[in-house]
Amino acid sequence: MSSSSIFTSLSAVLLFFATVAEAQIGRLPLSPIQRLEQNIGLTDIIIEYSRPSMRDRKIFGALVPFEKLWRTGANRNTTIQFSKDIIVDDQKIEAGKYAVFSTPFPKKWEVILYTDTDNWNVPEQLDTSKIAASVSVETILLEESKEVFTIMIGDFNNYQFNLDIYWENTFVSIPIQLTTKEMMDQKIKDQLEGPSHDDYYAAARYQMESGEEFAKGLDWINRAIEMAEEVTWWDLRIKAILLMELNRKDEAVMVATEGLKMAEVAKREYGINEFNKILKQLK
């Protein structure tokens, strides 16, 4: 056998064993998949994306070019899913799943939510009918670089949240509004068509916690108390707080004092602490 034939045979054997070894050992992902789930208010949010690392590479303006549409991550489309309707920059978006595309610039990003989520990269040509929303947000320079591409749900309350994106020395935050208030208003309206004590109580507590329309909340807690077979200290806690918010201090003191006595009789430490807190604020 000639030396060239021996070399060819040896190469084939080595390639075979290398292939078998890779199949047996497996390959570690360079951009592992992350899945985030968060409930905010009445909305469930799910984010799925791949997380590439810098690995000593220049990212923005190099690996990720400026002024060019990017899949906002690696591998398959980064996606975000909402169980309820949301609002982005005054654009109302129906509940559903969307791809997150972005076009980075040195001082801003243009971010798009796209209805087609099955792309590996970005579409060769965007279909404008599939753009559910677009928003422009300023970039913020990080003092310390972020090695791994990261998407997070940042600051949030029951009515809104920030979709935060970090990589290298760049940070962007996309504000997203939830439709919690209109859903709660509808829920309350539906419930109050045939309300019970618990319905009025829940509606009053919502108005108290939402920080608005305290007079409406007071009306509802009064109705709850009227319907109650036995008034409880937690009924009076809601009423005292609403009276305090409406600056009806004398009435609030009377209600809180009565509620405190009831909580003490029931030996409810939480109630006792709450009424003492209210009375302290009313001094």
Side-chain angles (χ1 to χ4, degrees):
M1 182 181 292
S2 66
S3 59
S4 60
S5 298
I6 294 172
F7 179 77
T8 301
S9 300
L10 181 59
S11 297
V13 170
L14 292 174
L15 179 61
F16 169 77
F17 280 111
T19 303
V20 171
E22 183 175 348
Q24 290 176 336
I25 296 171
R27 183 182 176 193
L28 297 177
L30 294 175
S31 302
I33 296 172
Q34 174 82 55
R35 178 184 170 94
L36 301 176
E37 297 186 34
Q38 178 71 58
N39 171 266
I40 304 176
L42 299 175
T43 305
D44 294 322
I45 301 158
I46 300 173
I47 300 170
E48 292 183 292
Y49 70 108
S50 294
R51 303 190 63 188
S53 297
M54 289 172 60
R55 305 204 309 275
D56 296 321
R57 299 174 295 179
K58 170 66 178 168
I59 304 301
F60 295 110
L63 180 67
V64 178
F66 288 133
E67 302 183 31
K68 185 176 179 181
L69 192 66
W70 178 44
R71 57 190 156 184
T72 321
N75 304 327
R76 298 200 69 82
N77 284 173
T78 288
T79 61
I80 186 165
Q81 186 170 347
F82 308 99
S83 64
K84 307 293 183 183
D85 296 351
I86 56 116
I87 299 169
V88 178
D89 197 29
D90 295 328
Q91 303 161 83
K92 191 163 186 177
I93 302 170
E94 293 182 354
K97 186 176 182 180
Y98 299 91
V100 182
F101 296 145
S102 54
T103 303
F105 292 81
K107 294 187 178 180
K108 69 172 184 178
W109 280 21
E110 292 175 356
V111 180
I112 290 172
L113 296 186
Y114 199 69
T115 58
D116 183 359
T117 63
D118 294 330
N119 296 285
W120 179 260
N121 200 322
V122 295
E124 291 184 10
Q125 184 70 38
L126 279 181
D127 182 344
T128 55
S129 69
K130 295 181 179 180
I131 297 176
S134 62
V135 61
S136 180
V137 290
E138 294 182 359
T139 59
I140 297 173
L141 185 65
L142 299 173
E143 292 183 3
E144 295 184 8
S145 64
K146 191 80 170 177
E147 170 68 24
V148 181
F149 177 72
T150 301
I151 298 178
M152 295 176 59
I153 291 176
D155 291 342
F156 67 87
N157 56 40
N158 284 329
Y159 306 96
Q160 61 190 24
F161 72 95
N162 292 333
L163 182 65
D164 293 343
I165 302 175
Y166 304 79
W167 203 17
E168 197 180 39
N169 292 101
T170 297
F171 165 62
V172 295
S173 186
I174 301 108
I176 295 178
Q177 292 177 284
L178 303 174
T179 52
T180 308
K181 187 179 187 311
E182 59 190 71
M183 286 190 287
M184 282 300 298
D185 287 346
Q186 186 60 49
K187 233 178 167 183
I188 290 169
K189 182 180 177 182
D190 293 342
Q191 286 293 321
L192 295 188
E193 288 180 357
S196 65
H197 164 274
D198 291 346
D199 295 327
Y200 276 122
Y201 174 85
R205 186 175 65 181
Y206 166 71
Q207 295 300 157
M208 178 195 74
E209 293 175 345
S210 69
E212 56 185 353
E213 299 188 87
F214 298 121
K216 185 185 290 185
L218 181 61
D219 177 49
W220 287 338
I221 197 62
N222 281 334
R223 294 190 193 191
I225 289 170
E226 287 171 6
M227 296 179 72
E229 293 183 10
E230 182 180 352
V231 178
T232 63
W233 63 263
W234 52 88
D235 289 324
L236 297 185
R237 171 182 171 268
I238 299 294
K239 183 172 181 176
I241 292 172
L242 289 166
L243 286 167
M244 181 171 63
E245 294 291 353
L246 290 166
N247 206 30
R248 292 164 61 173
K249 293 185 177 180
D250 291 343
E251 294 173 81
V253 168
M254 289 176 59
V255 172
T257 302
E258 184 182 353
L260 176 60
K261 290 176 183 177
M262 294 173 69
E264 287 174 338
V265 169
K267 298 181 180 179
R268 296 302 178 95
E269 185 177 348
Y270 174 76
I272 293 168
N273 291 338
E274 284 294 297
F275 284 115
N276 281 326
K277 189 190 305 179
I278 292 168
L279 289 167
K280 186 177 180 181
Q281 289 179 266
L282 288 167
K283 283 183 180 179

